[in-house]
């Protein structure tokens, strides 16, 4: 059974930094791309960032490009999101999500999700 | 970016009745080389993460009840729940994975009438 357990959320001041982690189990972690998807309180879903199985390729939404960095440690089956220069609009529940099996064409979709970790940016 | 627009924003349906949710993409998500529509549907129940219901516009994920079905092609898609059950109360999202960024629709809130 796939399990994804996020941690690292909390309250941070505008301009501050936070590092999220996602511990994965139940599948061959290095074989799958992974993503972070966020949901602001009472709002819809927004893809934030994705990374290939090897970690060699990373992609970002325009809203976080240059401020967030996604990475992974396949030896620890763990996904990370380093968030810098945080803004009030980054306040959201951040989900770690396992990408569907790789395709020769197209972007991301997700077949497993964690429960999320809440990030609140406020003074 | 391929923008996804769902209708309606909310929907109230009686138990046992049919529920229909529509999703329209700003560009076609049909890939001609494999004739597949790069469109997924997710269900998000209160307090829970999203769950994939359907991919390739009409293929049910393993374990999803057959009262859920997806249809459509190109830019217009539909999620149908043939006989609404109480446990189907949720917000439903469509999502395109044809190109980056992978965008979601705004969501449709489904309630019991």
């Amino acid at each position: 059974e796939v399990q994804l357990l996020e941690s690292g959320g909390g309250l941070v001041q505008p301009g501050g930094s936070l590092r999220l982690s996602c511990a994965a189990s139940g599948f061959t972690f290095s074989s799958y791309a992974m993503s972070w998807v966020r949901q602001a309180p009472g709002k819809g879903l927004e893809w934030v960032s994705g990374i290939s199985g090897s970690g060699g390729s990373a992609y970002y939404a325009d809203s976080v490009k240059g401020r967030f960095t996604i990475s992974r440690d396949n030896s620890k089956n763990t996904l990370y999101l380093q968030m810098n220069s945080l803004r009030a609009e980054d306040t959201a529940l951040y989900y770690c999500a396992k990408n569907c099996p790789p395709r020769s064409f197209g972007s991301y979709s997700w077949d497993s999700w964690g429960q999320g970790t809440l990030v609140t940016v406020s003074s | 970016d391929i923008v996804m627009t769902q209708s309606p924003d909310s929907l109230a349906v009686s138990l046992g009745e049919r529920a229909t949710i529509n999703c329209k993409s700003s560009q076609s998500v049909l890939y001609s080389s494999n004739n597949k529509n790069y469109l997924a549907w997710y269900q998000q129940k209160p307090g829970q993460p999203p769950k994939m219901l359907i991919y390739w516009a009409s293929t049910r994920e393993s374990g999803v009840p057959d009262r859920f079905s997806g249809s459509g092609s190109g830019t217009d898609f539909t999620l149908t729940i043939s006989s609404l059950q109480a446990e189907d109360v949720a917000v439903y999202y469509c999502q395109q994975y044809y190109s980056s960024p992978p965008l979601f629709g705004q969501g449709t809130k489904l309630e019991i009438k």
Side-chain angles (χ1 to χ4, degrees):
Chain A
E1 179 193 4
V2 173
Q3 291 195 348
L4 301 169
L5 184 62
E6 302 95 337
S7 61
L11 175 64
V12 61
Q13 292 187 341
S17 298
L18 214 52
R19 189 197 200 200
L20 307 183
S21 299
C22 171
S25 61
F27 64 103
T28 304
F29 184 67
S30 59
S31 295
Y32 290 89
M34 298 289 295
S35 292
W36 291 96
V37 178
R38 68 185 180 184
Q39 186 168 35
K43 302 297 184 183
L45 299 166
E46 179 189 18
W47 171 77
V48 172
S49 181
I51 188 168
S52 62
S54 66
S57 299
Y59 305 93
Y60 300 92
D62 287 346
S63 58
V64 306
K65 201 171 293 182
R67 300 187 298 122
F68 290 11
T69 302
I70 192 172
S71 62
R72 63 192 297 162
D73 185 336
N74 286 344
S75 69
K76 295 182 178 179
N77 288 355
T78 302
L79 176 72
Y80 302 101
L81 186 67
Q82 177 67 44
M83 304 186 296
N84 298 332
S85 303
L86 282 161
R87 306 166 179 167
E89 54 264 36
D90 296 317
T91 294
L93 187 62
Y94 283 73
Y95 293 106
C96 166
K98 171 183 166 288
N99 284 37
C100 290
R103 315 174 187 100
S104 57
F105 172 80
S107 184
Y108 296 150
S109 58
W110 306 278
D111 57 15
S112 298
W113 299 65
Q115 292 295 316
T117 186
L118 182 63
V119 172
T120 304
V121 184
S122 175
S123 55
Chain B
D1 296 3
I2 299 179
V3 176
M4 311 301 291
T5 304
Q6 293 180 226
S7 62
D9 290 335
S10 62
L11 181 63
V13 175
S14 301
L15 289 174
E17 296 300 304
R18 178 186 300 261
T20 302
I21 298 170
N22 300 301
C23 174
K24 189 174 184 68
S25 58
S26 61
Q27 303 171 44
S28 176
V29 298
L30 174 64
Y31 185 47
S32 57
S33 295
N34 59 13
N35 201 37
K36 288 183 180 294
N37 287 284
Y38 283 58
L39 189 284
W41 288 96
Y42 299 85
Q43 174 194 61
Q44 187 176 31
K45 295 182 178 181
Q48 294 187 19
K51 171 189 174 183
M52 175 177 270
L53 294 177
I54 286 171
Y55 56 96
W56 299 134
S58 60
T59 303
R60 270 189 304 276
E61 182 78 320
S62 175
V64 173
D66 60 7
R67 64 180 180 274
F68 291 92
S69 63
S71 62
S73 185
T75 61
D76 293 280
F77 301 91
T78 299
L79 175 69
T80 301
I81 307 172
S82 61
S83 177
L84 189 70
Q85 306 299 303
E87 61 265 32
D88 300 335
V89 168
V91 178
Y92 292 84
Y93 296 92
C94 62
Q95 179 243 331
Q96 68 83 15
Y97 50 100
Y98 183 93
S99 67
S100 192
L103 295 180
F104 295 88
Q106 78 276 19
T108 295
K109 186 175 184 179
L110 177 59
E111 299 174 312
I112 305 295
K113 186 187 291 184

